[in-house]
Amino acid sequence: MWRIKMPVEKLIAFGSLIANEINDTTELCHELAFKSGWWNGVDVNAPFVIPAKLCLVHSEISEAMEGERKNLMDDHLPHRKMVEVELADAMIRIMDLAGAMKLDLGGAMVEKLIYNQQRSDHKPKNRNKADGKKF
């Protein structure tokens, strides 16, 4: 578990391992979506394909919000909360799209995590200011 605050140095040291795991999962999500027919006859470079796929991510996030708002359990995995399953769906869709676009999602995530650790607007004292990023 990464619940403890990881120093940037440790994140940098494990960065390539984390990035590779994320990219392997991205590849798997896209391969499974492709085999399931979600990309039949679809050219990722065609107009509106990427926006449509992004809207599908948004729909999963909206479903997660509804599950949380109503404190629902999931219909398909009834032992799990709906918010948890819908967030997983959103991640699967994001990874599928990143795989289709051949993006280095893992590398970008690690770089962004490192960058965010050094941002002044992400520090608790600045977030708590009257004009800070409270949410």
Side-chain angles (χ1 to χ4, degrees), residues 2 9 12 16 19 53 61 63 65 73-74 83-84 89 103 113 119 123:
W2 302 99
E9 299 79 26
I12 292 168
S16 63
K53 296 289 186 177
I61 299 296
E63 290 173 4
M65 191 279 301
M73 298 303 285
D74 189 68
V83 65
E84 180 179 37
D89 281 344
L103 301 176
L113 286 167
R119 289 178 63 170
K123 305 287 184 213

Side-chain angles (χ1 to χ4, degrees), residues 1 4 9 11 13-15 25 28 31-32 36 50 53-54 58-59 67 75 79-80 87 107 113 115 121 126-127 131:
M1 258 317 165
I4 59 167
E9 299 79 26
L11 184 58
F14 289 105
T25 306
L28 174 66
E31 183 181 329
L32 293 174
S36 296
I50 293 171
K53 296 289 186 177
L54 289 171
H58 185 276
S59 72
D75 293 339
H79 61 287
R80 294 193 179 272
L87 287 174
L113 286 167
Y115 173 78
D121 62 334
N126 292 328
R127 290 178 56 101
D131 61 346

Side-chain angles (χ1 to χ4, degrees), residues 16-70:
S16 63
L17 176 65
I18 295 167
N20 288 339
E21 292 296 325
I22 292 168
N23 286 338
D24 286 349
T25 306
T26 295
E27 217 173 284
L28 174 66
C29 289
H30 180 59
E31 183 181 329
L32 293 174
F34 189 85
K35 286 181 179 178
S36 296
W38 290 104
W39 290 93
N40 286 355
V42 177
D43 175 4
V44 72
N45 297 310
F48 306 113
V49 169
I50 293 171
K53 296 289 186 177
L54 289 171
C55 285
L56 291 172
V57 172
H58 185 276
S59 72
E60 301 296 354
I61 299 296
S62 294
E63 290 173 4
M65 191 279 301
E66 272 305 288
E68 181 64 13
R69 186 172 74 87
K70 295 179 180 178

